[in-house]
Amino acid sequence: PLPASRLQQARPFQIIGIDFLGPITAWKTQAEPSDEYPGLVITGTENEKIWVLIVTCYVTRAVHLETVENMKTETFLQALRRTFARRGRAELIYSDNASTFTCANKELIALWQLIHTKEAKRQLAKDGTKWVFNADAAPWWGGAYERLVRSVKQPLRKALSLGKLSHWHMYTVLTEIECMLNNRPLIDVSSTPEDPLPLTPAKLLVGHDLAILPQTP
């Protein structure tokens, strides 16, 4: 059975789940477009690691992606503040718990430590946000956001195969992936042309699918 928070009526991103993806290698140097991949391939040897904060709405299943340069408390809180500023403040946040993190990578363990710092607790209390950790040894409780990790990885891997991305190119690609995920159907797609188009997270957010051409009269 789904938890009550998944079934109650709420505005988009009022109840969310979060997870991290990464680290991903990005390049610090400026882009030098090539004829084959304009705006994607760059030159240079310096690189940096970035992580992707995956935020999903538990009611509309919409997705929001933010990049972070490190796993420090201030960086994480800045990403959370950007999310709240663009999507509205969350009243309830779900994430994996410490026992799950110990079986995962060190970045997820760092997230547990970030949340329990005094600065993070003070900021969450100020925002009126409650943080809930999933039950011990029950990673399937986070299926709403765990599945999205793979959904982000697959197109990102294809983009990275085209060449080296700078941080800002990476952010642009992730924004386009976010758009793609918010256009995904939430119900079965009918093969009958007369049937209405399937419901998507974008329709619940803005009333129509994103990245579509305007309808002319």
Side-chain angles (χ1 to χ4, degrees):
L2 293 173
S5 58
R6 293 285 301 276
L7 302 174
Q8 70 185 42
Q9 184 176 1
R11 62 168 174 78
F13 291 95
Q14 182 175 342
I15 304 170
I16 62 176
I18 70 168
D19 202 355
F20 270 102
L21 182 156
I24 306 168
T25 300
W27 295 82
K28 295 181 180 180
T29 51
Q30 296 296 321
E32 294 184 5
S34 68
D35 294 335
E36 188 176 4
Y37 303 116
L40 282 180
V41 178
I42 65 176
T43 60
T45 56
E46 287 192 66
N47 59 70
E48 59 182 344
K49 291 182 178 180
I50 64 172
W51 289 259
V52 181
L53 175 64
I54 301 176
V55 182
T56 181
C57 174
Y58 266 36
V59 177
T60 65
R61 303 308 299 275
V63 182
H64 180 85
L65 303 178
E66 285 286 343
T67 59
V68 292
E69 296 81 11
N70 52 58
M71 297 297 288
K72 296 181 179 179
T73 302
E74 178 61 24
T75 307
F76 169 70
L77 290 177
Q78 291 291 336
L80 207 57
R81 288 176 59 184
R82 291 194 299 270
T83 302
F84 288 174
R86 294 163 62 188
R87 301 296 186 178
R89 296 188 183 277
E91 294 182 1
L92 192 59
I93 299 178
Y94 285 95
S95 71
D96 289 334
N97 57 38
S99 63
T100 304
F101 292 165
T102 57
C103 299
N105 55 35
K106 61 181 180 181
E107 284 74 29
L108 293 180
I109 299 174
L111 173 59
W112 168 267
Q113 296 171 346
L114 289 177
I115 299 166
H116 283 77
T117 60
K118 292 182 179 180
E119 183 181 355
K121 289 182 178 181
R122 183 169 58 251
Q123 182 66 44
L124 291 173
K126 178 182 176 181
D127 295 335
T129 300
K130 181 181 179 182
W131 201 293
V132 178
F133 295 96
N134 294 334
D136 292 340
W140 58 88
W141 280 35
Y145 50 81
E146 292 287 357
R147 177 60 181 85
L148 288 172
V149 173
R150 189 174 72 175
S151 298
V152 174
K153 277 185 176 180
Q154 288 178 335
L156 183 59
R157 188 179 295 115
K158 292 182 179 180
L160 292 174
S161 68
L162 298 179
K164 305 168 185 177
L165 302 183
S166 67
H167 189 157
W168 288 111
H169 281 107
M170 187 82 70
Y171 187 71
T172 301
V173 170
L174 287 170
T175 304
E176 293 174 342
I177 293 175
E178 175 188 303
C179 174
M180 177 191 68
L181 292 177
N182 286 331
N183 283 336
R184 74 191 191 281
L186 297 176
I187 60 177
D188 292 336
V189 179
S190 174
S191 58
T192 305
E194 291 78 13
D195 289 343
L197 295 175
L199 186 66
T200 65
K203 290 180 179 178
L204 296 174
L205 291 177
V206 297
H208 59 81
D209 287 339
L210 302 171
I212 61 173
L213 296 175
Q215 299 294 325
T216 55

